[in-house]
Amino acid sequence: EYMRWFALGGLYGNPKADAAHGCIEPPKDHPLLKSMVLVEAAAIESDREKQREIYNKVLKIAAENVWTINISTRPPTLAIVKDGFKNVPRKLVASGDLLTPGNAGIETFYFEKPYDTPGAIAQIKHDIVTITLPPDTPAAQEAEASGSKVGKIIRYSFLIIGILLVVLIVVKHPYIGRRLLIMVPTLLIISIIVFTVIQLPPGDYVTTRIMQLEQSGDDVDMQRLEEIRKFFRLEEPVTTRYARWIGLTWFATYEEKDEGLLQGDMGRSMESLKRVNDIVGDRILLTVLISFGTILFTWATAIPIGIYSAVKQYSIGDYFFTFVGFIGMCIPGFLFALLLMYASAEWFGIREFGLFSAQYGAQPEWTWGKFVDLLKHIWVPVVVLGVGGTGWMIRVMRGNLLDELKKPYVVTARAKGVRPIKLLMKYPVRLALNPFISGIGGIFPQLVSGGAIVAMVLSLTTVGPLMLQALMTEDMYLAGSMLMVLSLLGVVGTLVSDLLLLWIDPRIRFKGGSR
């Protein structure tokens, strides 16, 4: 209780160092209190000789009171080594007098043949050699800006190529031109709504952080939080902060520090002060891969089953798949994930979940082995997220195909002797696919928002858990930027669905648009 009182700052009158927190203040004449005062005096003393004098007084008090009984020397240190583990001495010495790095310090050991990948080794060398400045310093911003010139050249090159392709498509298809023009005001309205919704809760990140620190009993560094408030310009009006976030300020200054979403810079996280582009990293790529795999799984499962259920209406197979589809729609994704984890552990002995195994989880670069390892793990979230959508798509495919099979053109084609398989696949199935195609736009945001809990259960490094944490802490730039990226995926998905519908369904083409 005495040491807890000292650790919580009772010597300086901290109100938290009381009996409610398990603390007891030493009596005024207690020798331990005198030792605490001397230790604090030695900590602030810069002269080495005076420090020794103060510690000699502490040792004298300790010798007179005999608080601890210890042996004079440290027992031998046991070290287990293997072939290829170098620089391990025969006798290890590790004690308070020989602090690491000593001959027993792990900093001095190394592997003759490192198990890390070349990318990991290069990153370790860079972190050791390069001095990393705090991200909120001007020097750090200049270093980041100078190191990102190559990325900007590539980004603008892709932008120019994309504009040329869009011009070619618009000239050939006015229908696509209208859809592209609609995207601009749509994204603008979405950005305003996203920024407004994030600002609606009372307070800001700094206020939320202060409440969290007070509830946990930790000390609140008000000076640090005030620096964060000034760094993110939280005292400025909302409109000014929105202009900075979206990148409108850049068009007036053309300075790299004023870049925003329009220039590909998603800002910095308020919690870690790191760039959102670096934090998100591969998370967006992995999220898109899971979403794409879920779409393929849903289509590959729902389309054949829906066709069979429509052709074999009211058969045993139709009733069976209908029952399975309803079960898939009713089971929550996180519950199915827990059941799948339990079954994998009990029946197959697989207790390692996530998107990568331990060997490739910390590997910074992509290799063929890491990609194969991803394929071994990605099927679990794909199945979990795709089961619910598959049950719903089976019902949609079955109902649409039944409507198409009853139309006059199908009866006429049968009367003319068209083969059943050719008739089924060329006309009714093609038109019944419209709901699948038109739903692409909402699949990406739905999978990310609805799969956040599933991602937390399965320990997936996707966007969902990160965005949920950012929303809870009111990390404006991290949450808002990711919401805008997901909205962009939704808008682009809607454009892709329109293009596919234009290609599949001839009824949608108009004004002479050619295929």
Side-chain angles (χ1 to χ4, degrees):
E1 292 80 2
Y2 291 163
M3 292 306 301
R4 184 171 179 79
W5 174 85
F6 176 70
L8 290 180
L11 195 62
Y12 299 97
N14 190 349
K16 294 182 179 179
D18 53 8
H21 293 82
C23 305
I24 297 178
E25 180 179 359
K28 298 298 182 181
D29 56 347
H30 200 283
L32 186 58
L33 181 60
K34 298 179 182 179
S35 299
M36 294 176 181
V37 175
L38 291 173
V39 169
E40 288 297 296
I44 63 177
E45 179 60 56
S46 59
D47 190 358
R48 189 72 172 179
E49 293 298 328
K50 292 182 179 181
Q51 284 183 344
R52 291 178 178 175
E53 293 178 3
I54 296 174
Y55 268 108
N56 286 331
K57 296 179 181 179
V58 175
L59 293 176
K60 184 177 181 181
I61 295 175
E64 294 174 352
N65 292 272
V66 194
W67 291 324
T68 58
I69 300 177
N70 205 341
I71 58 178
S72 58
T73 58
R74 184 180 178 87
T77 303
L78 180 64
I80 302 176
V81 299
K82 59 184 297 186
D83 295 337
F85 195 59
K86 299 298 183 179
N87 204 31
V88 181
R90 183 174 297 276
K91 293 183 179 180
L92 298 179
V93 180
S95 65
D97 298 328
L98 296 172
L99 299 177
T100 57
N103 75 331
I106 58 174
E107 302 90 339
T108 62
F109 304 151
Y110 68 94
F111 287 99
E112 185 178 13
K113 295 181 179 180
Y115 295 96
D116 295 322
T117 60
I121 295 175
Q123 184 176 357
I124 292 173
K125 288 183 178 179
H126 178 270
D127 294 338
I128 293 175
V129 175
T130 306
I131 299 176
T132 304
L133 299 174
D136 56 342
T137 59
Q141 297 181 14
E142 293 176 1
E144 289 184 0
S146 61
S148 60
K149 291 181 179 179
V150 178
K152 290 184 179 181
I153 294 174
I154 297 175
R155 184 177 66 210
Y156 287 125
S157 300
F158 278 113
L159 181 61
I160 294 173
I161 295 173
I163 292 174
L164 294 177
L165 291 176
V166 168
V167 171
L168 293 175
I169 294 175
V170 171
V171 171
K172 193 174 182 180
H173 288 289
Y175 173 81
I176 302 175
R178 293 190 186 93
R179 291 295 184 267
L180 291 173
L181 291 176
I182 294 174
M183 289 176 58
V184 177
T186 301
L187 289 174
L188 178 61
I189 294 173
I190 290 175
S191 66
I192 296 175
I193 294 175
V194 167
F195 194 82
T196 303
V197 169
I198 295 178
Q199 301 292 329
L200 283 179
D204 50 25
Y205 168 78
V206 176
T207 306
T208 305
R209 184 60 178 165
I210 292 174
M211 293 176 57
Q212 291 177 349
L213 292 174
E214 289 178 348
Q215 291 176 0
S216 61
D218 297 332
D219 295 332
V220 180
D221 191 351
M222 296 301 300
Q223 182 179 359
R224 177 62 174 169
L225 295 177
E226 189 63 27
E227 292 176 356
I228 294 176
R229 187 186 296 275
K230 293 180 180 179
F231 180 74
F232 288 99
R233 299 181 174 92
L234 297 179
E235 71 280 355
E236 293 183 354
V238 177
T239 54
T240 305
R241 281 185 283 143
Y242 171 78
R244 291 185 181 276
W245 173 63
I246 205 67
L248 296 178
T249 309
W250 178 84
F251 293 99
T253 61
Y254 293 102
E255 296 182 1
E256 294 181 351
K257 65 178 182 178
D258 294 326
E259 291 183 351
L261 289 178
L262 294 177
Q263 293 79 34
D265 189 352
M266 292 189 287
R268 293 179 182 270
S269 169
M270 292 182 173
E271 186 172 5
S272 62
L273 295 181
K274 296 181 180 179
R275 290 194 176 274
V276 176
N277 294 14
D278 299 333
I279 295 176
V280 174
D282 293 337
R283 287 178 179 264
I284 293 181
L285 174 61
L286 296 175
T287 302
V288 172
L289 289 177
I290 292 176
S291 302
F292 184 70
T294 303
I295 294 173
L296 294 181
F297 172 79
T298 302
W299 286 8
T301 308
I303 292 176
I305 295 177
I307 294 174
Y308 175 83
S309 298
V311 175
K312 302 293 184 179
Q313 187 181 16
Y314 302 134
S315 63
I316 297 178
D318 181 24
Y319 286 123
F320 173 76
F321 288 122
T322 300
F323 174 76
V324 173
F326 282 134
I327 293 296
M329 288 188 294
C330 294
I331 297 179
F334 70 91
L335 179 59
F336 184 60
L338 292 174
L339 295 176
L340 189 61
M341 291 172 63
Y342 175 79
S344 300
E346 291 294 327
W347 299 341
F348 305 105
I350 301 176
R351 292 178 172 82
E352 184 177 306
F353 293 92
L355 293 177
F356 299 101
S357 59
Q359 180 181 357
Y360 297 99
Q363 180 176 319
E365 79 276 15
W366 282 89
T367 59
W368 176 251
K370 185 174 182 179
F371 178 74
V372 173
D373 187 69
L374 174 64
L375 296 180
K376 293 179 181 179
H377 293 79
I378 200 173
W379 67 270
V380 178
V382 166
V383 171
V384 172
L385 294 174
V387 165
T390 301
W392 176 74
M393 283 294 185
I394 290 174
R395 305 304 301 169
V396 173
M397 186 67 187
R398 180 181 181 275
N400 289 340
L401 189 55
L402 285 175
D403 293 339
E404 294 295 330
L405 291 176
K406 297 176 182 178
K407 291 184 178 180
Y409 74 90
V410 178
V411 179
T412 304
R414 286 176 180 172
K416 289 184 177 182
V418 179
R419 289 180 298 174
I421 296 296
K422 181 179 180 180
L423 171 62
L424 179 67
M425 301 304 296
K426 188 174 182 180
Y427 297 107
V429 170
R430 185 177 178 181
L431 297 179
L433 287 175
N434 283 6
F436 285 83
I437 305 301
S438 60
I440 292 179
I443 286 181
F444 285 108
Q446 180 181 359
L447 289 176
V448 173
S449 60
I453 300 179
V454 176
M456 295 173 67
V457 171
L458 295 176
S459 301
L460 305 180
T461 55
T462 55
V463 173
L466 188 63
M467 185 176 63
L468 180 61
Q469 178 65 25
L471 290 173
M472 293 177 63
T473 58
E474 297 188 38
D475 196 337
M476 179 181 64
Y477 292 101
L478 182 57
S481 299
M482 286 193 295
L483 286 174
M484 281 303 302
V485 170
L486 297 179
S487 301
L488 178 62
L489 289 177
V491 173
V492 173
T494 303
L495 177 63
V496 172
S497 65
D498 291 339
L499 296 179
L500 292 176
L501 288 174
L502 182 67
W503 174 64
I504 291 178
D505 195 341
R507 298 174 297 181
I508 300 178
R509 304 189 202 108
F510 56 91
K511 291 190 178 181
S514 59
R515 290 177 57 182

